[in-house]
Amino acid sequence: MKPILFVGHPLGSSLGLVAALETLKISYQFARVSMPADLHSAAYKNLNDRQQTPVLMLSDGTILTETMAIAQWLMHQDREHQISFPQPSSAELDLIKSMAFINSSYTTSFIPLWLSMEVDSLSETDTSVLHKIGTMLTDKSQKQLEHLITTSPFFYGNAPTLTDFLFAGVGRWADFHQVFDSQAYLKTTQWKEAIFGLPQIQLAEKIEQGSISLTNFGQEIALDLALSLCQQS
């Protein structure tokens, strides 16, 4: 059985993982998960009780439920170092560090903003407070990120790595929530333009949107069927 990637939409953080699988030419299946509705089903809770995407089920039935765990698996598949670096090396450690920043400090800074939108029971005051906190946290993490980015097209020079791909998914959230002026962070803006100009990212966007169901390496599988296969593994 091919690996199955559970892809969240809209604006899922899994976007870059799709691009990584395509770049490495790994045959896989993808199941589209409508957020937040599909996350609350009993079958999905059995797959990932944290009710989040992404999730990757490997060919042997192993379930990986964290972005960094999936990224580590992809690094091990990348024997030609197309999107990662030789292991062990200082470059590899720096790659892990930059991915961890994006997956932790940067990603989690948006949690108050998502909560202010998704929790129906909040009062107007609660929503306003969450939005203010989210704006403050995202501005802080964005300033930290801007400091890390160089003038190269991608994070580590002229070719994309897993760091660029991981940022693709969550880097869109600032525009969606409109928490700050993108022109205030020109290096980040230019970096995003380079990332979203990549053919594999554009392909991943089409998969996320449901406009294509088959690529050279990926094939869509119905969510119910994918969840059933996971229960059988």
Side-chain angles (χ1 to χ4, degrees):
M1 183 176 66
K2 298 176 182 178
I4 300 175
L5 179 65
F6 291 81
V7 179
H9 73 91
L11 299 175
S13 61
S14 46
L15 182 76
L17 299 176
V18 175
L21 288 165
E22 291 286 338
T23 301
L24 297 179
K25 300 180 180 180
I26 296 174
S27 295
Y28 69 103
Q29 298 181 90
F30 57 89
R32 298 176 67 252
V33 181
S34 179
M35 301 187 296
D38 290 338
L39 300 176
H40 299 313
S41 72
Y44 198 87
K45 287 180 184 178
N46 288 333
L47 172 68
N48 183 6
D49 57 8
R50 294 184 64 213
Q51 299 172 261
Q52 295 178 347
T53 60
V55 174
L56 178 66
M57 185 174 82
L58 304 181
S59 300
D60 64 0
T62 300
I63 305 294
L64 301 179
T65 60
E66 296 292 336
T67 297
M68 284 300 295
I70 298 171
Q72 287 274 8
W73 180 81
L74 288 165
M75 289 172 65
H76 289 300
Q77 311 311 305
D78 186 18
R79 295 177 179 85
E80 297 180 359
H81 310 302
Q82 298 179 74
I83 56 175
S84 64
F85 300 111
Q87 306 171 36
S89 67
S90 59
E92 177 212 10
L93 292 175
D94 197 72
L95 176 68
I96 293 172
K97 182 176 70 173
S98 62
M99 288 193 296
F101 171 79
I102 290 169
N103 191 56
S104 57
S105 298
Y106 191 84
T107 299
T108 58
S109 69
F110 287 89
I111 289 176
L113 296 173
W114 288 118
L115 289 174
S116 71
M117 291 180 56
E118 295 174 357
V119 179
D120 296 332
S121 59
L122 292 175
S123 67
E124 289 187 12
T125 300
D126 292 337
T127 300
S128 177
V129 169
L130 282 172
H131 194 272
K132 288 180 181 178
I133 293 172
T135 300
M136 178 185 67
L137 291 176
T138 53
D139 186 61
K140 178 182 177 181
S141 66
Q142 187 62 57
K143 287 177 180 175
Q144 293 171 335
L145 180 62
E146 184 79 2
H147 179 71
L148 296 174
I149 300 171
T150 67
T151 56
S152 300
F154 299 102
F155 199 87
Y156 290 105
N158 294 321
T161 63
L162 277 165
T163 296
D164 302 282
F165 289 155
L166 259 58
F167 182 68
V170 299
R172 306 174 290 177
W173 295 354
D175 295 330
F176 175 77
H177 290 287
Q178 298 182 328
V179 285
F180 46 74
D181 182 3
S182 61
Q183 293 304 306
Y185 300 101
L186 290 178
K187 287 193 294 183
T188 302
T189 299
Q190 292 168 356
W191 182 35
K192 284 165 62 176
E193 289 174 354
I195 292 172
F196 283 92
L198 293 168
Q200 57 267 53
I201 291 293
Q202 295 171 359
L203 179 64
E205 287 185 295
K206 292 178 180 178
I207 287 174
E208 182 184 78
Q209 295 160 4
S211 59
I212 60 173
S213 59
L214 183 67
T215 73
N216 289 334
F217 306 101
Q219 182 174 6
E220 185 169 12
I221 179 173
L223 178 59
D224 290 346
L225 177 56
L227 290 171
S228 176
L229 290 172
C230 290
Q231 291 177 349
Q232 297 170 19
S233 63

